[in-house]
Amino acid sequence: MKTVMYCGTLFDGTTGQTAKNQVIVIEENEITEILEKSQYQPEADDKIIDCSDQFVMPGLIDMHVHLAFCGKAALTELTEPPELVALKALNNAQEDLMGGFTTVRDAGFSSLRGAQAVRDAISSGIVWGPRVFTSGMYITQTGGHLATTYSQESFGQQIFKPVNTADSSDEVRTACRMMLKYGADQLKLMVTGGVLSNSGGVGEQNMSYEEIVAAVEVGKMHNRVVSCHAHGTSGILAAAKAGVTSIEHCTMVDDEGIEYMLKNNVAAVPTLIVLHVLADGLSKGVAQSAVDKAAYLLPKHADNIRNAYERGVRCVFGTDTGTPLGPHGYQHKEFVYMAEAGVSSEDILLATTRYAAELLKWEDQIGTIQPGKFADIIAVKGNPLEDISSLNRDTITFIMKDGIVYKNEQN
């Protein structure tokens, strides 16, 4: 039996263009045909999904979530047992799927194998959820961003340095290889200070150029993505020079950093939403230090991303969901903030579909609606190309991942 989906407007993600009155034919979990409605003759046993008055597009991809964190005012999960955190992470992943995000990239977990366990449980069919692309634990430095939260103890006394803390090029290589050994899909580096930890100035560089190069070398050896957290200008420049795959936040990028991002084909994952919610979070329980850091960075972020985008840096959709006041499945305001930063509606939709899939190196499986791809499809009321705010949890009427329908509000 085939599933046949009638589309009012189809954005297939191959370009920024749309087509009217298209039909998507799905068999099991795969898209097999796309043709004009007038060319399709329904068969008696076809399962029809009528989205004739809807905007249909590939499933959304969020390139920066933290499945371990639940969006509370404080990251309480950092001190909880990893087994409990993994169960919470599964619930978070399912919330993301019900928000239309059929794929998420976990940008750093609070335990070595937690994200991989969630990924594998979903991919093997034990539980349901989005496709998950993992980083394992993020690699940081002694005293670096979030480093102090990961002590490993025996009878209350720390006996050795956590496996994700690295203080030289050789230690970075070892940490990277450890993440890959335990099944991470990519490597994630903490290159500068952060808003949510007491790691010195939020923009100060913590990982040296040579250390970043060591991680990039390991990534290239194993054909893996290397992403890095970087707010400050010097850290962004070092990461861009080293040739990482993506720079997360990319807050204080300057012209020199942009030049190296273009030269080395480095993408930006801006996560604009997170500074907005943190800067306004004091009354909601966010720590004063985090509020102050976010308020300092916020006015500069959109302008710098606009400059990078206008000069040709590829911006890919990501939100930092899971961090304080960022609940899973409700991160769609990032689309609006990207538009306010000057990103076109076409590129915003591509940023959360094809561009994201290409960054993950999964473009042969997801990111566009084409024959041979997995059937990851959503339908939306309204037209996000005309009004990007129309793409949100409430307006998404249909969600299909891997050929399975998770939401269907069609008449």
Side-chain angles (χ1 to χ4, degrees):
M1 183 179 70
K2 293 180 291 188
T3 298
V4 178
M5 189 169 183
Y6 295 154
C7 311
T9 301
L10 175 63
F11 177 89
D12 65 15
T14 59
T15 68
Q17 304 302 308
T18 61
K20 297 288 188 180
N21 300 316
Q22 301 291 294
V23 172
I24 304 171
V25 181
I26 300 156
E27 297 187 44
E28 296 183 351
N29 68 338
E30 184 178 307
I31 298 165
T32 57
E33 284 186 281
I34 301 168
L35 59 160
E36 292 184 8
K37 188 175 181 179
S38 60
Q39 297 175 333
Y40 185 76
Q41 297 298 321
E43 299 178 3
D45 61 348
D46 283 351
K47 179 182 178 181
I48 304 296
I49 298 172
D50 191 357
C51 295
S52 297
D53 60 346
Q54 306 282 301
F55 185 97
V56 177
M57 62 180 290
L60 307 177
I61 304 172
D62 191 334
M63 293 293 288
H64 192 127
V65 306
H66 292 285
L67 293 178
F69 304 145
C70 298
K72 298 177 182 177
L75 301 181
T76 57
E77 294 81 13
L78 292 173
T79 58
E80 293 175 345
E83 297 86 355
L84 174 60
V85 174
L87 291 172
K88 289 184 174 183
L90 173 59
N91 183 71
N92 292 336
Q94 292 174 341
E95 286 290 345
D96 286 328
L97 177 55
M98 296 311 297
F101 294 93
T102 55
T103 300
V104 296
R105 178 175 65 157
D106 184 83
F109 208 81
S110 58
S111 63
L112 188 57
R113 294 189 253 193
Q116 290 88 287
V118 173
R119 175 198 65 194
D120 295 346
I122 292 171
S123 64
S124 64
I126 297 172
V127 293
W128 64 273
R131 303 179 194 281
V132 177
F133 187 93
T134 72
S135 306
M137 298 173 77
Y138 16 63
I139 298 166
T140 187
Q141 318 80 39
T142 298
H145 184 39
L146 296 182
T148 56
T149 60
Y150 297 124
S151 61
Q152 297 189 13
E153 299 181 350
S154 175
F155 302 106
Q157 182 176 6
Q158 186 168 328
I159 55 173
F160 57 88
K161 186 165 62 176
V163 295
N164 70 323
T165 301
D167 295 322
S168 68
S169 296
D170 285 342
E171 289 188 357
V172 167
R173 289 187 184 92
T174 298
C176 289
R177 288 166 178 156
M178 185 68 72
M179 296 308 128
L180 298 181
K181 173 183 177 180
Y182 285 102
D185 296 306
Q186 72 152 33
L187 303 170
K188 167 72 181 296
L189 312 177
M190 297 298 199
V191 170
T192 74
V195 173
L196 297 174
S197 64
N198 297 319
S199 53
V202 66
E204 71 180 25
Q205 184 176 344
N206 291 336
M207 186 173 283
S208 71
Y209 170 75
E210 293 77 14
E211 290 168 339
I212 303 169
V213 166
V216 171
E217 288 174 349
V218 174
K220 287 181 177 178
M221 288 177 188
H222 298 277
N223 193 31
R224 300 300 177 90
V225 170
V226 179
S227 70
C228 73
H229 157 107
H231 286 294
T233 303
S234 65
I236 293 169
L237 178 60
K241 281 185 174 181
V244 301
T245 312
S246 66
I247 298 177
E248 314 298 305
H249 316 304
C250 206
T251 314
M252 301 295 288
V253 65
D254 64 2
D255 288 341
E256 187 178 11
I258 290 169
E259 288 176 10
Y260 277 99
M261 291 180 75
L262 293 170
K263 178 180 178 181
N264 292 326
N265 195 31
V266 178
V269 183
T271 70
L272 294 153
I273 189 173
V274 66
L275 293 182
H276 282 270
V277 297
L278 290 175
D280 192 38
L282 188 63
S283 64
K284 301 170 185 176
V286 176
Q288 181 74 61
S289 60
V291 171
D292 291 345
K293 291 176 183 179
Y296 168 76
L297 293 172
L298 181 59
K300 306 168 178 61
H301 197 185
D303 287 342
N304 293 334
I305 294 300
R306 178 181 292 106
N307 186 30
Y309 170 72
E310 289 178 350
R311 295 206 27 209
V313 171
R314 175 170 282 189
C315 292
V316 183
F317 183 87
T319 62
D320 219 353
T321 288
T323 52
L325 310 184
H328 288 269
Y330 296 88
Q331 58 262 54
H332 307 79
K333 193 66 179 291
E334 179 72 17
F335 295 119
V336 175
Y337 291 133
M338 289 183 76
E340 291 177 355
V343 182
S344 72
S345 295
E346 291 84 357
D347 274 336
I348 293 173
L349 294 193
L350 290 169
T352 192
T353 56
R354 177 165 67 85
Y355 294 168
E358 289 173 348
L359 195 154
L360 295 176
K361 302 183 181 181
W362 283 359
E363 67 271 20
D364 61 334
Q365 303 174 66
I366 62 171
T368 59
I369 296 175
Q370 292 178 283
K373 300 286 185 76
F374 289 129
D376 291 3
I377 303 170
I378 66 168
V380 186
K381 294 177 182 177
N383 187 329
L385 290 174
E386 297 173 355
D387 177 9
I388 198 65
S389 68
S390 68
L391 180 53
N392 58 67
R393 185 170 177 130
D394 292 336
T395 61
I396 295 173
T397 62
F398 177 86
I399 301 169
M400 172 184 282
K401 179 248 175 176
D402 211 26
I404 298 173
V405 176
Y406 291 89
K407 181 178 183 180
N408 187 1
E409 296 180 350
Q410 312 310 313
N411 293 329

